[in-house]
Amino acid sequence: MKTLEELKVIRAQSKAAMALRHSKGPQVPVDGIRSHVMVCCGTGCTSSESPKIAAAFETELKTAGLEKEVKIVRTGCFGLCAAGPIVMVFPEGTCYSRVKAEDVPEIVAEHLAKGNIVERLLHMEGDNGELVHSLAETQFYKHQTRIALRNCGAIDPERIDEYIGTDGYLALGNILENHTDPQTVIDEIKKSGLRGRGGAGFPTGNKWQFTKDAVSESGVKYVCCNADEGDPGAFMDRSVLEGDPFSILEAMTIAAYAVGGTQGYIYVRAEYPIAVKRLEIAIGQAREYGLLGENILGSGFSFDIELRLGAGAFVCGEETALLTSIEGHRGEPRPRPPFPASKGLWQEPTLLNNVETYANITWILNNGADKFAAIGTEKSKGTKVFALGGKITNTGLVEIPMGTTLRTIIEDIGGGIPGGKKFKAAQTGGPSGGCIPAELIDTPIDYDSLTAIGSMMGSGGLIVMDEDNCMVDIAKFFLEFCVDESCGKCVPCRIGTKRLYDLLTKITDGKGTMEDIDTIEELCLHLKGNALCALGQSAPNPVLSTLKYFREEYIAHVVEKRCPAGVCKNLISYHIVPDKCKGCSLCARNCPAGAISGALRSPHTIDTSKCIKCGVCMDNCHFDAIEKR
């Protein structure tokens, strides 16, 4: 167990050891270390074999006799996933992108041994392929403000000393050392204006207050973390847990002190093996240092945290279903009220926030509520993390001040739509959110602005779509997800989502009627007003928003029996343009259905009755002679 004084010593030593990572140019070596090589070992880069890159560095450095001068750090996600695996070399701050294990010998021999930058591995940005020496210089980072992601890519997430060196456990230490009144802590969170980042945007300080004020006859209160993150394409919480797990442990411990919590649980999906592993390591090290468990830092305050692994049920992102699952039962929502703050886990008062919400807590307490409240808009304070994906150049993880426009995210941070295509829509909030059309690209991203246009913040997924996306098909995709993930407990969700999906399928199959569109809208409103939990209540959002902004596409499917985007298979056909066809027969030779015929060096034709609409002919044509109608 460490004392407060020992933590202060560790903090000073770790700060000095990590100073190389925070400035460019020559630095005084600490313990003989003159360079730090940061290798992203988050899930994205790990899938591209970044652990092999880290191992290759260790082998090459030993061969070159530099193992005592260069430190290899396996860190979390840098954010720019499109350029991974990423390797950062400090103190220069050099960013190497798309690195492979076979590139390591050159980096060691040239950069680490001789000080020569390996330009071919530098990150390239823009249409002209401009070389960028550091991530901070990229358009991707220039518009970001990193609070929740402040330590991701900056520390070794498996070493508590490094977290302490970034002022980790400073907030908790100050609270316990000064015997701070729990109400003072809650008041500071209220003053910050922090709203829950899990989707609904409920004021965090108010939720803490309700839990503190709740009476427990047994004296037991629980503090829980929602790390389930079930939205398709979302990986914000996963990246925080992989890159900065100690920040969540510290925030939960502070929350427990503030509300009177005695036991904590982190509910994390089992599909996040790296996050689970690093959480287990972090909990073990925190206990070893006396920062979890009995009599924390000799203060008389006790609190511990355990992990609970979820099986990947989307409905368990809903707070009452999550708590039911922690108890060992099937994850199904409960009617509210009572709310978890008064009767939650095992019918005791329970505080539940998600990962990103907790990730802001220690920053607020260390830097002041006023500084946090100065970021963002009047009603949406601070920053928001988004998982940026879909038809966008710079896929990855971004953290922007609330109020940043969608245009800034897509055109500046995201680098625009690849292939010269036009931006068509963006989906926020996953299956619970709505589609924002191109004409609303200047909408500020904050809770109220998104709600006003029929979308929602959600947990932070942001899927970008271009002109090749069919909006009816998009609505059907998200609805199909909700059908599969419905727990089936309430009739409106169990039957309503399936009925909506069947009607959308009827339209994309070319069998829909105008009456079907009216029925869809009526069903959506019934579902929103009668489903038991947020899964069913929000499932119609993608349908309603696409009907509102892209109704002409629905009408084209129904009246003209045509899919304008050429996506819905039953409404498209392939044709060969005679003037463009050279008669090379490549399409005919590759057609799996034998639907193409024609003499060599003469225009070919497609028998639409045999065509299975696989698109292989178009993929193989070198003369753009095949068109989709």
Side-chain angles (χ1 to χ4, degrees):
M1 179 183 292
K2 304 294 182 182
T3 65
L4 279 166
E5 291 304 316
E6 287 174 324
L7 283 186
K8 292 176 183 177
V9 172
I10 293 171
R11 183 171 296 113
Q13 292 174 340
S14 295
K15 279 182 180 290
M18 293 191 294
L20 286 170
R21 305 175 197 173
H22 303 298
S23 60
K24 294 183 179 181
Q27 296 287 312
V28 177
V30 177
D31 297 328
I33 301 293
R34 58 175 175 80
S35 294
H36 287 191
V37 177
M38 317 292 287
V39 181
C40 174
C41 286
T43 293
C45 287
T46 293
S47 68
S48 298
E49 301 186 330
S50 62
K52 290 185 178 180
I53 295 172
F57 268 110
E58 290 171 340
T59 299
E60 290 297 322
L61 288 171
K62 190 172 183 179
T63 300
L66 300 174
E67 71 274 18
K68 294 182 179 180
E69 299 178 35
V70 180
K71 181 177 183 178
I72 305 301
V73 181
R74 292 166 172 82
T75 188
C77 180
F78 289 105
L80 188 51
C81 301
I86 289 177
V87 172
M88 296 279 285
V89 180
F90 290 98
E92 298 88 340
T94 304
C95 173
Y96 293 125
S97 63
R98 298 179 180 86
V99 178
K100 299 177 182 179
E102 50 265 36
D103 297 321
V104 172
E106 185 177 1
I107 296 175
V108 172
E110 292 298 320
H111 189 153
L112 297 174
K114 301 176 184 177
N116 300 323
I117 303 296
V118 183
E119 290 199 354
R120 71 175 185 85
L121 296 174
L122 288 176
H123 178 61
M124 290 190 296
E125 186 174 71
D127 296 334
N128 297 326
E130 180 184 352
L131 295 179
V132 180
H133 282 257
S134 74
L135 283 180
E137 298 172 3
T138 64
Q139 287 296 318
F140 182 81
Y141 271 91
K142 285 180 180 178
H143 300 275
Q144 295 193 47
T145 300
R146 291 166 74 87
I147 294 178
L149 300 178
R150 60 193 178 275
N151 288 331
C152 292
I155 65 171
D156 182 340
E158 297 184 13
R159 291 192 63 227
I160 192 171
D161 285 9
E162 292 215 350
Y163 174 69
I164 293 172
T166 62
D167 288 336
Y169 287 105
L170 178 63
L172 178 63
N174 287 338
I175 288 170
L176 297 181
E177 185 177 27
N178 298 322
H179 305 287
T180 304
D181 181 12
Q183 187 60 50
T184 301
V185 178
I186 294 176
D187 289 343
E188 190 73 1
I189 300 303
K190 286 182 178 179
K191 185 180 178 182
S192 74
L194 175 66
R195 296 172 64 173
R197 300 303 197 238
F202 190 81
T204 303
N206 290 357
K207 183 179 280 193
W208 288 27
Q209 187 72 62
F210 295 152
T211 312
K212 178 182 182 296
D213 293 344
V215 177
S216 169
E217 295 182 3
S218 66
V220 173
K221 291 184 180 181
Y222 296 102
V223 172
C224 297
C225 175
N226 180 353
D228 189 59
E229 193 171 50
D231 286 6
F235 53 97
M236 304 77 59
D237 292 351
R238 185 195 75 199
S239 296
V240 172
L241 294 176
E242 291 176 351
D244 193 16
F246 292 103
S247 67
I248 307 306
L249 304 187
E250 183 185 7
M252 289 179 68
T253 307
I254 291 170
Y257 177 88
V259 306
T262 52
Q263 176 63 44
Y265 292 97
I266 299 177
Y267 187 86
V268 57
R269 52 182 42 224
E271 294 99 322
Y272 286 179
I274 297 176
V276 171
K277 174 193 170 188
R278 289 179 181 168
L279 279 171
E280 289 173 341
I281 292 171
I283 290 172
Q285 292 183 4
R287 286 174 180 162
E288 181 184 344
Y289 273 40
L291 296 166
L292 280 178
E294 298 292 326
N295 192 24
I296 295 174
L297 293 174
S299 65
F301 167 63
S302 300
F303 177 72
D304 208 348
I305 295 174
E306 295 181 18
L307 297 185
R308 288 291 185 270
L309 302 188
F314 179 62
V315 73
C316 286
E318 194 277 336
E319 59 181 7
T320 61
L322 183 152
L323 298 177
T324 302
S325 183
I326 290 178
E327 293 172 350
H329 305 296
R330 188 172 186 263
E332 293 179 334
R334 307 168 185 168
R336 298 177 302 173
F339 291 92
S342 56
K343 286 188 180 296
L345 199 57
W346 291 294
Q347 296 300 301
E348 299 290 355
T350 302
L351 174 67
L352 177 63
N353 290 126
N354 85 321
V355 170
E356 187 183 342
T357 308
Y358 282 125
N360 286 282
I361 296 299
T362 56
W363 191 96
I364 291 170
L365 296 176
N366 285 336
N367 294 276
D370 290 338
K371 188 170 183 179
F372 185 85
I375 303 169
T377 67
E378 182 181 354
K379 295 183 179 179
S380 299
K381 306 294 187 183
T383 62
K384 182 71 188 79
V385 180
F386 286 97
L388 187 59
K391 306 289 186 66
I392 193 76
T393 300
N394 295 330
T395 56
L397 209 61
V398 303
E399 184 172 3
I400 47 101
M402 292 281 195
T404 302
T405 65
L406 182 62
R407 182 186 298 276
T408 298
I409 296 174
I410 291 173
E411 295 183 357
D412 297 326
I413 298 174
I417 314 300
K421 299 288 185 176
K422 293 181 181 178
F423 168 66
K424 185 173 187 178
Q427 169 86 357
T428 62
S432 305
C435 294
I436 305 171
E439 58 263 31
L440 297 179
I441 193 172
D442 290 309
T443 298
I445 301 298
D446 60 66
Y447 291 102
D448 299 320
S449 296
L450 290 180
T451 301
I453 62 173
S455 188
M456 64 182 292
M457 185 77 71
S459 59
L462 203 164
I463 308 298
V464 180
M465 290 161 271
D466 68 11
E467 59 195 85
D468 292 335
N469 286 107
C470 169
M471 302 313 295
V472 185
D473 182 66
I474 289 292
K476 188 176 80 168
F477 167 79
F478 283 113
L479 198 59
E480 181 181 20
F481 179 84
C482 291
V483 170
D484 289 341
E485 294 295 336
S486 173
C487 73
K489 183 174 182 177
C490 75
V491 172
C493 184
R494 182 178 70 246
I495 297 177
T497 54
K498 182 62 168 65
R499 178 64 178 142
L500 278 175
Y501 176 74
D502 289 343
L503 286 169
L504 288 173
T505 300
K506 183 180 176 184
I507 290 175
T508 57
D509 283 348
K511 301 174 183 177
T513 65
M514 292 302 292
E515 290 76 15
D516 289 331
I517 296 179
D518 295 334
T519 302
I520 286 172
E521 289 184 295
E522 184 180 357
L523 264 174
C524 284
L525 296 177
H526 279 296
L527 187 52
K528 286 179 72 70
N530 294 283
L532 176 61
C533 80
L535 189 157
Q537 293 164 9
S538 61
N541 286 346
V543 182
L544 288 173
S545 64
T546 52
L547 276 169
K548 180 179 180 180
Y549 297 115
F550 301 96
R551 182 176 287 266
E552 71 280 359
E553 289 198 29
Y554 282 84
I555 294 173
H557 282 69
V558 170
V559 177
E560 302 173 31
K561 306 302 178 187
R562 177 178 65 88
C563 176
V567 171
C568 301
K569 286 184 68 173
N570 288 341
L571 298 179
I572 62 173
S573 58
Y574 289 89
H575 301 269
I576 295 177
V577 181
D579 293 343
K580 291 184 177 181
C581 181
K582 306 299 181 183
C584 69
S585 79
L586 193 60
C587 58
R589 282 181 279 146
N590 283 278
C591 178
I596 303 177
S597 60
L600 194 64
R601 298 186 180 85
S602 298
H604 285 42
T605 58
I606 298 176
D607 185 343
T608 55
S609 65
K610 293 182 180 180
C611 178
I612 61 174
K613 304 174 184 180
C614 62
V616 170
C617 55
M618 180 176 283
D619 293 338
N620 282 275
C621 182
H622 298 315
F623 306 102
D624 294 325
I626 300 176
E627 63 180 18
K628 186 164 54 174
R629 300 174 187 169

